[in-house]
Amino acid sequence: MYTNTPDEHFVISVHPAHPQVVVACGFSGHGSKFVPVVGEILADLSIDGATRHPIALFDPARLTQLAV
């Protein structure tokens, strides 16, 4: 499935209502290039609830600002 966000950046985050769920989507056709670092980020978020990688750009909350 080919998925993309309006700003063409990924979504990577802990689910806001369910902190035990980690979300990663919107990788379109080039997500496979980022599998190693995304896997590390998802593992960090799943185990520690945070990551050392700068992932603010991938926060799904940004999408609500685009809709305005």
Side-chain angles (χ1 to χ4, degrees):
M1 178 182 287
Y2 187 95
T3 59
N4 210 354
T5 61
D7 63 3
E8 299 185 0
H9 294 298
F10 312 146
V11 170
I12 302 174
S13 180
V14 173
H15 191 286
H18 304 283
Q20 72 277 17
V21 176
V22 178
V23 178
C25 58
F27 292 97
S28 67
H30 64 277
S32 61
K33 295 183 279 188
F34 299 95
V35 169
V37 71
V38 171
E40 183 177 331
I41 291 168
L42 294 177
D44 291 345
L45 293 174
S46 297
I47 295 167
D48 302 325
T51 182
R52 64 181 175 85
H53 296 282
I55 61 169
L57 172 66
F58 307 119
D59 188 334
R62 77 184 191 279
L63 299 173
T64 59
Q65 297 169 356
L66 293 175
V68 174

